[in-house]
Amino acid sequence: MAKMPFSLLTLDELDAGGLSSLICDAMRLKRHRRAGAAKLKSRTLAMIFSKPSTRTRVSFEVAMAQLGGHAVSLDLARMQASRGESLADTARTLSRYVDAIMARVYDHADIVELADHATVPVINGLSDMFHPCQTLADLLTIREHKGQLAGLDVAWVGDGNNVCNSLIYGCGLARINIKVATPRGFAPDPRAVAESKKRTGVSVMADPASAVAGADVVITDTFTSIHNTAPARIKKFLPRYRVTDSLMARADPDAIFMHCLPAKRGQEVSASVIDGQQSVVWDEAENRLHTQKALLLRLLS
Ligand code: CP
Ligand code: NVA
C-alpha cells in the first residue's frame, strides 16, 4: 500500500509505491491537461518565499489555478515573520486560512518548524538541505525519456547540495543507481546516502569521469546556491566539475543531460551541453507543473 505523507520536506517521507503512483498521476495529468479542473475548487495554498524563485512560484500557482483552486503568494520579507513573529505562530495562523503551505526557506530547520506547528500539509519548495519537488519532476523527466526508472545509472557532477540530497532519496525509492562526483568538502548529506544505500547503489567519489562513465543521465546544478554564494567556492569546482561535451562523451551515447535551473552557462555546464541535443532541461522545468499537480491532488483532495 502506497504511503502518502502529510507533509513533504525531504522526499524520504514517501515510500516506493507512493513515489511511483505520484509519477503515474503526473504522467496522466500531463497527457490530459484539463483533467482535475475542479478537483481543488475552493482549496487554497499559501506560498511563502524567503528566497527568489521563477519555476517553483509559477508552477505551483498555475497548478492550483488549473485544479480550480487558488494560491496566495507571500514574500517573507513583507510578513510579520520579518519583524519577529515566530514561524510557529505563522504556521498556526495560516493553517486557519489555507489548506496547505508551500515554503521556500534558507534554513531547513525553518520548514521543519512550519511543519511542526501547521495543522495543514507543508511542502518544501527548497531549503538549504532539500528540494523534493525538483526530484519529483526529475524522475518524471527520466521516466519519459528513458521509459523506465529502476536499473538506470544516474551521475551527479558538482555540488552535493539540496537538489542532490533529494535526488539521492528519489533514486533510492526508484531503485536507480546514482554516482555523485564532488570536490572534497562538498559531499551530499550522509543520511540521504546511507538511507538510499539500503535500496540501491549509491557512491560518492571525487572523479567526474568515473561517475559519468556509461551513465544514462548526467545531472548538475549551480556551484553557487542561493544560500551559499561565496565566490571563492567556485574555484573548488572549476574546471574539473563542469559538464562539457568531452565529459558527456563518457556517458552512454543516448544519455540525457539535466539541470534544475537556473543555470550558469560556462560555469557548471557548457552552453553546447545545456543547449545541445542531449539536454532535456525544458521538459524538466515543465514537469514541475505536472508533478506538483499530482502532489497537490494527493495532499488536498
Ligand atoms: N528549479 C527551481 O526550483 O527553480 P526556481 O528557483 O526558479 O524556483
Ligand atoms: N541549488 C540551487 C537550486 C535552485 C533551484 C539553490 O539552492 O539555489
Side-chain angles (χ1 to χ4, degrees), residues 123-181:
I123 301 166
N124 181 1
L126 181 72
S127 66
D128 59 342
M129 285 298 293
F130 297 102
H131 198 2
C133 298
Q134 186 64 51
T135 299
L136 294 177
D138 290 357
L139 293 177
L140 171 59
T141 310
I142 295 170
R143 172 80 175 72
E144 285 175 340
H145 283 273
K146 293 283 155 198
Q148 64 181 93
L149 291 176
L152 291 177
D153 293 311
V154 164
W156 176 278
V157 179
D159 193 5
N161 64 10
N162 40 16
V163 176
C164 181
N165 290 335
S166 285
L167 182 69
I168 289 170
Y169 277 133
C171 286
L173 292 171
R175 301 207 182 276
I176 293 172
N177 301 306
I178 179 164
K179 291 181 179 160
V180 178

Side-chain angles (χ1 to χ4, degrees), residues 52-57 104 125-126 131 134 226 260-262 288:
S53 167
T54 298
R55 282 145 286 267
T56 303
R57 186 186 292 256
R104 169 167 285 202
L126 181 72
H131 198 2
Q134 186 64 51
I226 308 169
C260 65
L261 306 175
R288 294 292 304 276

Side-chain angles (χ1 to χ4, degrees), residues 91-121:
R92 290 182 184 108
T93 304
L94 290 177
S95 297
R96 299 295 181 107
Y97 301 134
V98 301
D99 299 290
I101 299 168
M102 186 278 288
R104 169 167 285 202
V105 298
Y106 279 90
D107 186 347
H108 189 72
D110 288 348
I111 192 100
V112 172
E113 186 175 350
L114 283 169
D116 281 349
H117 298 279
T119 52
V120 296

Side-chain angles (χ1 to χ4, degrees), residues 8-299:
L8 187 72
L9 306 189
T10 66
L11 205 74
D12 193 36
E13 301 86 357
L14 284 170
D15 65 10
L19 176 69
S20 162
S21 63
L22 272 180
I23 302 292
C24 288
D25 289 354
M27 290 177 86
R28 200 165 44 248
L29 288 160
K30 187 170 182 176
R31 274 197 305 274
H32 307 288
R33 304 275 169 135
R34 301 292 157 225
K39 287 245 170 78
L40 297 187
K41 189 167 184 302
S42 304
R43 298 302 189 102
T44 309
L45 172 74
M47 310 194 296
I48 302 174
F49 289 94
S50 50
K51 308 194 280 198
S53 167
T54 298
R55 282 145 286 267
T56 303
R57 186 186 292 256
V58 178
S59 56
F60 266 108
E61 187 160 341
V62 171
M64 284 303 287
Q66 289 188 357
L67 295 171
H70 182 69
V72 182
S73 190
L74 301 158
D75 288 323
L76 195 80
R78 299 182 66 192
M79 297 174 75
Q80 295 289 14
S82 69
R83 297 180 57 246
E85 185 171 24
S86 71
L87 289 174
D89 286 356
T90 304
R92 290 182 184 108
T93 304
L94 290 177
S95 297
R96 299 295 181 107
Y97 301 134
V98 301
D99 299 290
I101 299 168
M102 186 278 288
R104 169 167 285 202
V105 298
Y106 279 90
D107 186 347
H108 189 72
D110 288 348
I111 192 100
V112 172
E113 186 175 350
L114 283 169
D116 281 349
H117 298 279
T119 52
V120 296
V122 173
I123 301 166
N124 181 1
L126 181 72
S127 66
D128 59 342
M129 285 298 293
F130 297 102
H131 198 2
C133 298
Q134 186 64 51
T135 299
L136 294 177
D138 290 357
L139 293 177
L140 171 59
T141 310
I142 295 170
R143 172 80 175 72
E144 285 175 340
H145 283 273
K146 293 283 155 198
Q148 64 181 93
L149 291 176
L152 291 177
D153 293 311
V154 164
W156 176 278
V157 179
D159 193 5
N161 64 10
N162 40 16
V163 176
C164 181
N165 290 335
S166 285
L167 182 69
I168 289 170
Y169 277 133
C171 286
L173 292 171
R175 301 207 182 276
I176 293 172
N177 301 306
I178 179 164
K179 291 181 179 160
V180 178
T182 69
R184 188 192 295 268
F186 297 89
D189 178 34
R191 280 165 307 173
V193 172
E195 204 52 44
S196 286
K197 266 189 180 168
K198 294 177 190 165
R199 304 180 175 121
T200 196
V202 185
S203 22
V204 180
M205 58 194 71
D207 183 24
S210 308
V212 165
D216 300 294
V217 182
V218 179
I219 314 188
T220 190
D221 185 15
T222 181
F223 300 147
T224 51
S225 284
I226 308 169
H227 62 276
N228 211 338
T229 52
R233 77 194 317 272
I234 296 173
K235 293 196 194 103
K236 310 270 188 195
F237 293 92
L238 291 175
R240 195 177 181 200
Y241 293 87
R242 180 183 299 133
V243 179
T244 57
D245 289 308
S246 60
L247 191 61
M248 283 301 292
R250 295 177 175 270
D252 183 84
D254 294 324
I256 54 173
F257 170 77
M258 296 175 59
H259 189 309
C260 65
L261 306 175
K264 288 206 175 79
R265 288 169 174 76
Q267 214 165 82
E268 72 271 12
V269 59
S270 309
S272 54
V273 171
I274 194 167
D275 298 322
Q277 298 265 318
Q278 288 168 283
S279 173
V280 297
V281 298
W282 306 116
D283 292 337
E284 185 182 1
E286 177 187 330
N287 285 339
R288 294 292 304 276
L289 172 65
H290 308 299
T291 44
Q292 286 159 200
K293 282 171 78 175
L295 177 66
L296 290 165
L297 283 170
R298 288 289 176 140
L299 293 180

